[in-house]
Amino acid sequence: GVRDPRSPKASDVVAALGERARAAGIGEAVYGADAVILAVPYSAAQEALTAAADLAGTVLIDATNPLNDDGSALTIGHDTSAAEEIARQVPGARIVKAFNTTGAVNMADPIYDGRPLPMPYTGDDDAAKQVAA
């Protein structure tokens, strides 16, 4: 799901992913989904979740990190967490925090010295965590 499914960037991504991929607006992309991955800059999370509309009952895998624009500091996290703020915005969603501890390069090739890179995840819903796993 993207803001503008007709954008050149969305078209390029779809072309790179192949014939089974398509671009859709955020609301359309998440409608009826069993699971949704929130993979946007934290500063865009509220807008994306508003566009997604009702996610009650949906497994929401939150891959955000509340960093400032240059990635040098947290924007929140001293008395609340990004996950808590996301949970407040999407009541009833089954939230799992995952995929936010390493970059895409490590995910593409997660083996170091012959051992897999650990990928932690957390949440309070065991079935939702199994979806993320």
Side-chain angles (χ1 to χ4, degrees), residues 67-73:
L67 299 174
N68 63 8
D69 290 339
D70 69 5
S72 63

Side-chain angles (χ1 to χ4, degrees), residues 13-109:
V13 170
V14 168
L17 291 173
E19 65 186 48
R20 292 184 52 200
R22 69 181 180 88
I26 295 168
E28 178 186 355
V30 304
Y31 179 77
D34 294 327
V36 172
I37 298 176
L38 180 64
V40 299
Y42 183 75
S43 60
Q46 183 174 4
E47 178 186 347
L49 292 170
T50 298
D54 183 12
L55 293 174
T58 303
V59 174
L60 176 63
I61 302 169
D62 173 14
T64 66
N65 284 311
L67 299 174
N68 63 8
D69 290 339
D70 69 5
S72 63
L74 292 172
T75 57
I76 65 169
H78 308 288
D79 57 3
T80 186
S81 71
E84 289 172 308
E85 296 303 313
I86 299 277
R88 281 192 244 298
Q89 188 171 347
V90 287
R94 300 166 57 208
I95 300 173
V96 179
K97 189 75 171 177
F99 307 118
N100 67 315
T101 60
T102 190
V105 172
N106 290 329
M107 288 184 198
D109 186 15

Side-chain angles (χ1 to χ4, degrees), residues 121-133:
Y121 56 93
T122 188
D124 61 4
D125 180 318
D126 288 339
K129 289 189 295 187
Q130 288 306 306
V131 171

